[in-house]
């Protein structure tokens, strides 16, 4: 088993101080694929990953993909293999509280009731055999939006989901998962992956919070609010193998808590002293 991530900045503090040492501590082999930062978009992760899997990984090898700048691992290969074996689908994705990036449109694409506590796909972590992942990428070389009548209808009204969300890897995998429920599963119960991003009802909130943080830094009300939320949230340990601090605010808070010695012991016990 290998853990694979893609980084345009191999010296990023989250990768260097949290992801890499946590993988080492729990005995996971982390493979960092360096990508050119110029013009890189989240959807380019898929091309980097498929190229690496095709050239360097056996088709029957189990791999875990993880985001580089906001994740860390708490449990190793034995746990991952056992938890993965309980799923009926060969590829299993992390899940989250928010229907991102499609928002309300994404809710309308989901015909089944939401499975709590994490109903919607998150592409920051997934596990599967290399050959199965490559087969999905070959079957769907681009986001399969034409398979969804609602997206076609919205396109006639000027709402082009491919144009708006095409750069998002999560958009691509959300559509693929909706078409391939027997192949692509979701970790709705956070057995393998747990997402600690804030849940929002209005997706404009996240953009406003990020803009507020960029403009005012640690003095921004959005930063102080997220700092308080995360301190409370982290009082409950995760039972997952990977934890994901998605959103620019959340990962900034985690790095600050690390510097301040305020991260809880269930996180820091996998880090070097």
């Amino acid at each position: 088993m290998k853990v694979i991530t893609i980084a345009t900045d191999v010296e990023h503090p989250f990768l260097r101080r949290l992801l890499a040492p946590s993988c080492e501590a729990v005995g996971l082999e982390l493979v960092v694929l360096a990508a050119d930062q110029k013009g890189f978009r989240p959807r380019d992760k898929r091309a980097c990953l498929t190229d690496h899997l095709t050239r360097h990984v056996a088709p029957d090898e189990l791999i875990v993909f993880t985001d580089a700048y906001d994740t860390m691992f708490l449990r190793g290969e034995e746990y991952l293999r056992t938890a993965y074996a309980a799923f009926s689908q060969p590829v299993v994705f992390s899940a989250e509280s928010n229907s991102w990036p499609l928002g309300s449109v994404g809710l309308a694409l989901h015909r089944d009731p939401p499975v709590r506590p994490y109903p919607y796909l998150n592409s920051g972590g997934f596990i599967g055999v290399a050959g199965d992942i490559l087969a999905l990428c070959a079957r769907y070389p681009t986001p399969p939006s034409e398979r969804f009548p609602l997206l076609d209808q919205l396109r006639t009204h000027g709402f082009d989901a491919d144009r708006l969300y095409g750069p998002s890897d999560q958009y691509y995998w959300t559509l693929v998962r909706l078409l391939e429920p027997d192949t692509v599963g979701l970790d709705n119960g956070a057995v393998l992956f747990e997402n600690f991003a804030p849940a929002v009802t209005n997706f404009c909130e996240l953009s406003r919070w990020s803009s507020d943080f960029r403009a005012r830094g640690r003095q921004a009300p959005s930063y102080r609010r997220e700092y308080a939320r995360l301190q409370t949230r982290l009082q409950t340990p995760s039972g997952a193998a990977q934890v994901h601090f998605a959103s620019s605010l959340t990962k900034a808070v985690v790095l600050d808590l690390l510097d301040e010695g305020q991260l809880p012991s269930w996180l820091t016990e996998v880090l070097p002293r």
Side-chain angles (χ1 to χ4, degrees):
M1 176 188 290
K2 292 183 177 65
V3 176
I4 300 175
T5 194
I6 297 165
T8 56
D9 176 11
V10 296
E11 294 300 321
H12 190 281
F14 214 109
L15 170 60
R16 182 173 50 83
R17 301 178 62 194
L18 290 166
L19 176 57
S22 70
C23 285
E24 182 178 1
V26 298
L28 292 170
E29 178 184 354
L30 177 65
V31 178
V32 180
L33 306 180
D36 187 355
Q37 190 168 27
K38 186 177 181 181
F40 188 87
R41 292 169 293 185
R43 71 180 181 194
D44 298 329
K45 293 188 294 185
R46 199 166 63 255
C48 289
L49 179 62
T50 55
D51 178 68
H52 179 78
L53 295 182
T54 301
R55 294 192 295 120
H56 299 292
V57 178
D60 60 350
E61 183 168 359
L62 186 64
I63 70 106
V64 180
F65 177 83
T66 188
D67 275 357
Y69 306 148
D70 52 12
T71 68
M72 60 183 293
F73 282 80
L74 306 177
R75 293 167 178 85
E77 180 171 347
E78 182 179 357
Y79 177 89
L80 282 160
R81 286 188 180 276
T82 301
Y84 167 70
F87 287 85
S88 60
Q89 299 93 339
V91 180
V92 180
F93 272 78
S94 171
E96 63 167 288
S97 302
N98 303 311
S99 171
W100 180 266
L102 281 159
S104 298
V105 173
L107 303 183
L109 294 179
H110 289 74
R111 295 185 178 183
D112 297 325
V115 180
R116 307 292 181 185
Y118 300 104
Y120 307 109
L121 181 143
N122 178 277
S123 61
F126 58 88
I127 183 171
V129 173
D132 291 325
I133 295 166
L134 287 172
L136 285 168
C137 292
R139 195 175 306 141
Y140 302 101
T142 59
S145 57
E146 74 284 353
R147 300 277 298 274
F148 294 87
L150 174 60
L151 297 183
D152 279 341
Q153 182 181 1
L154 289 173
R155 196 174 291 115
T156 66
H157 293 274
F159 183 95
D160 188 334
D162 284 354
R163 180 176 56 80
L164 292 168
Y165 308 122
S168 168
D169 194 48
Q170 189 152 307
Y171 168 65
Y172 168 89
W173 283 117
T174 294
L175 298 185
V176 170
R177 188 261 164 180
L178 289 170
L179 294 173
E180 300 276 356
D182 293 333
T183 303
V184 181
L186 289 189
D187 184 14
N188 303 112
V191 176
L192 288 157
F193 311 98
E194 185 159 15
N195 190 296
F196 282 81
V200 297
T201 54
N202 181 350
F203 291 99
C204 294
E205 291 180 57
L206 289 177
S207 296
R208 287 196 296 267
W209 295 350
S210 297
S211 298
D212 180 37
F213 176 56
R214 285 194 297 270
R216 303 176 63 181
R218 271 65 180 171
Q219 300 307 310
S222 59
Y223 174 85
R224 296 198 299 270
R225 184 168 55 246
E226 183 63 359
Y227 189 101
R229 182 196 74 87
L230 203 56
Q231 276 196 309
T232 300
R233 178 71 177 79
L234 292 178
Q235 290 177 11
T236 302
S238 174
Q242 181 231 54
V243 287
H244 185 186
F245 300 101
S247 91
S248 57
L249 267 175
T250 304
K251 62 187 174 187
V253 169
V254 169
L255 286 171
D256 286 345
L257 291 172
L258 176 64
D259 287 337
E260 296 162 7
Q262 295 297 313
L263 281 181
S265 59
W266 62 267
L267 283 171
T268 57
E269 64 188 7
V270 298
L271 300 176
R273 300 291 180 184

